[in-house]
Structure formats: structure tokens, C-alpha cells
Amino acid sequence: MKILSLLLLCGAAYSVVGCGIDESHRETLDGLLRGMLHSVRAVNPPNPSVLVALRLARDHNLEREAELLGSLEAQLAGKLEQGQEIPSGLLALYVMAFRASCRDPKDFEVGSDSENLLEILVGKLEAEIDNIDANSVPLTNYYQVALDVLALCINKHQVPPRAICAIEKSIKDNLFRHGERFDVDTAAVSVLALQCVSPNPPRIQPVLHQILKAADENGTIGNIYSTGLAVQALTVSQDMIPDNLWDCSLSINRLLKASRDGEFANPQTASQVTPSLEGKSYLNIAEITCKDEISNLTLPELTTAAPTLSPPAVIEVSLNVTDGVNGSFSDQTLVLVSSGSSLLQALEKARDLFPMVFSFEYETSLYGPYLTTVQGLQASVEDRTYWQLLSGSDPLQQGIGDYVVQHGEKILIILTRY
């Protein structure tokens, strides 16, 4: 009976109005939206998370949104035609973006054929759960498992009951962790997924408590980049949160300040913030009809700042690369770079100086470039290893392309298990 209930309730209407912004802050939000719209024609690959955020917004630039949709459709069709491996969570984002654009993911054109993306996603989700059953961990991670469930539910597609059970068990066993830290992002998406399947399920109460516990006095929940998703999760669960335990307006004001300070210049991070600022959540995707929309968000041409007359200051940065899994190397150097340089630029300088010791490779993700290999040692999903980035003992909250190094800073890059 429980399984039948889960299948029947999947995709149940669950619309909650978030706190969002008042109109006096609309220009700050529109600045984030314009930044994402400008990214559509940048050299980066098209980003489905950006399209989801643009479609959830009140104001639209329909021409640029249609351009992004077309790029995403072409990119995914190419991946499927070539048989490229697509992580389940990435496919889930495509499915959400297409639903937000009123495209039917059950009838997706690939060359002269048609593919049912929802059935493909179910297959990938089943493989994730098979790996949990066999090895106690998903093929990817619980964030992607939750995103898969959310995407299927938003599209009113049957969710495998054992996937729901897997998320509920991961909550019970406190598995949403990244090293020693509670993973707010995974917790938030899991709450959204389970709320979509069945509003206010009692089993999310422990993880709601953990999300609330991760909030500080300024409204940040986990870190500034996880706060947007956390606000979504808490907003749709507001009936389960006792009075006075969370001040939504405090978190919204914190996001607004970070926006004005330029902390969401990366389109991916902006895309995870704007729904909360609009008072929306990913659950609202199911309500989008694409009717009577107007294109009212103007997009001024980007201006190029005038070059500075004096050269930037030179700063000194310490870089340490360590194999923390096998213990095969630990090397350190000092590099001189221009003030305002990214960590990627500092690494490139170290590689120029010591091409063997500081050799590295990176790949491009929705968040930008991320390290895959150092000194020929590659991080591996199969081995559940990654290159952890720290400043001193503090994990970096941005990637190598966005993080700006500081004078005298000690950067640690350590191969770590998760």
C-alpha cells in the first residue's frame, strides 16, 4: 500500500510561496538574470541549470532563453548520438530545463529518431540504486540521486520506490556528508525531491533540523553558495518548521548582499540563488505553462572597462600538492602572480616553473574548470577520490577558475577520498 501511495502521489501539486525579495531589490535580482543571459553567448558550454533559473524568473528575455534552449537540445542530441556517458544528475537538469520550457522530455529528437529522456533517466537512477545495494554508495553521489527523483517527479513520471527508500535511508543514516562537513546542497535537493513525491513527509524532519543547524546568525546556511538551495528546501517545508527557528528574510538579505558584492558572478552559482530570490523553488517548474509570456528583460550591451594605467601589484602565493590517498608525493613552491589572479592562473605559473612537479589537467563543468589530474595522478569516481582545495585549513567554496588568491596565502591541493 505504501508503494502504491508513493506512485500515486508523485508529482502531486505542492505550491508554496517563498519569502523572496521586495520590489526595492528587483534591480539586484535582474542583474543576476542579465549575467546569466549574457553567459548564453559565452564560450562556456550551455548550462541547463541556467535555463531552469531563467524560466522560474518573473521577468524574461524570451529570445535569449530560446537560444539557450536550442543550444541545450543540440548539445544533448549530440551526446546521445555519439553514445557519450551522461551522469544521471546532468540528464536530470536537462529534463528539468526542458519541462521548464514546456518541451516534452518523453519525445526528444535525436537525429531522425525520438528518445524518451524520462525512461533513460529512470535507467540511470536504477543503476545508482543498484550500486547503493551492492556497494553502499551511488555510482555518482546522493545529490544526483535526489536530482533524478526530483526531475522525474516534476514531470509526473513514476519514481522507482526503492529510489525514495534510498534517499530516506541516507537521511536516517546521516550520509549527507562531504568529508567531515554536513552537505547542505545534497540535503536541500533531497528535501525538495521528497516534498515533490509526498508533501511534508515525516522522515525529512531530521535533515531539516540539520539544515537549520547549519544556519548562522547572518542567514548563511552552510556557506553562501549552498544558501540558495537551502532556502528552497526550508520554504517548501515551512509547515514542518516550528516558529522562530528560521528567519527567511535574514537568508534572503544575505543572498542579496552577496549578489551586490559580486559573489554570484559564475552563472551556475547565480542559477541556484535566483529561484529563492524570486520566492520560487524547483517544485514550481511543474506549474510553468509558457502562456502569455512577455519579453520584458532588456539586455544592454556589455561594456569593456578602461585599462588601468599602472601595472597590478605582484603577490606571493604558496602552493602545496599532496597525494593524500597513496602518499606518493607532497611538493610545495612559492609563485609570484599579479594581484587579482585566479587559482588557475597561479597553478599555470607553477607549472611553467616546475613542469614535472606541478603538472595538472582540468575539465570543464557547469561551475567552470575543475582539477582532474596532478602529477599524472587522476581523481576517480570509481575510487571516490577528488582534488580537495584548501586555503590553510579552510575548504575553498569556489573552483580554480573563480577563486582569487591573496598575498601570503597557502593553498593546499590534496587528493582525498569522499
Side-chain angles (χ1 to χ4, degrees), residues 100-316:
S101 305
C102 302
R103 290 287 200 272
D104 184 3
K106 298 190 299 296
D107 185 23
F108 182 73
E109 290 186 12
V110 180
S112 58
D113 297 322
S114 176
E115 295 282 0
N116 186 333
L117 299 182
L118 299 182
E119 288 301 323
I120 296 175
L121 182 58
V122 167
K124 289 181 176 292
L125 177 55
E126 292 280 10
E128 298 272 17
I129 307 306
D130 287 343
N131 207 70
I132 292 174
D133 291 343
N135 303 304
S136 301
V137 291
L139 277 175
T140 56
N141 50 57
Y142 280 104
Y143 181 94
Q144 297 195 47
V145 171
L147 207 58
D148 300 344
V149 170
L150 179 60
L152 291 171
C153 182
I154 287 170
N155 281 276
K156 296 179 172 57
H157 192 280
Q158 178 175 314
V159 177
R162 65 194 194 113
I164 299 164
C165 292
I167 295 176
E168 291 178 339
K169 186 176 186 301
S170 66
I171 291 173
K172 179 182 177 183
D173 295 343
N174 192 25
L175 298 181
F176 298 157
R177 310 202 69 79
H178 194 74
E180 298 299 317
R181 296 179 293 113
F182 175 62
D183 190 339
V184 173
D185 294 293
T186 299
V189 176
S190 297
V191 167
L192 290 168
L194 295 180
Q195 284 282 20
C196 182
V197 171
S198 177
N200 295 333
R203 293 188 181 182
I204 69 170
Q205 198 70 61
V207 79
L208 286 175
H209 175 74
Q210 287 181 293
I211 294 174
L212 290 167
K213 190 176 178 181
D216 66 18
E217 66 278 4
N218 298 315
T220 303
I221 307 173
N223 61 59
I224 194 59
Y225 301 105
S226 60
T227 300
L229 285 175
V231 169
Q232 287 193 45
L234 295 176
T235 299
V236 303
S237 308
Q238 57 192 13
D239 292 341
M240 302 181 70
I241 301 172
D243 292 342
N244 303 320
L245 276 189
W246 177 56
D247 184 349
C248 181
S249 63
L250 193 64
S251 294
I252 291 296
N253 288 334
R254 179 67 185 93
L255 292 174
L256 285 170
K257 181 181 184 303
S259 300
R260 290 190 293 268
D261 291 343
E263 294 191 55
F264 303 125
N266 184 307
Q268 174 66 16
T269 59
S271 73
Q272 295 183 321
V273 169
T274 52
S276 292
L277 294 179
E278 289 280 15
K280 299 286 187 67
S281 81
Y282 289 153
L283 301 191
N284 293 111
I285 293 172
E287 303 167 0
I288 296 175
T289 64
C290 303
K291 295 179 180 178
D292 302 320
E293 293 181 334
I294 59 173
S295 194
N296 60 346
L297 187 60
T298 59
L299 198 58
E301 291 296 323
L302 289 174
T303 57
T304 304
T308 56
L309 298 179
S310 58
V314 174
I315 62 173
E316 184 179 78

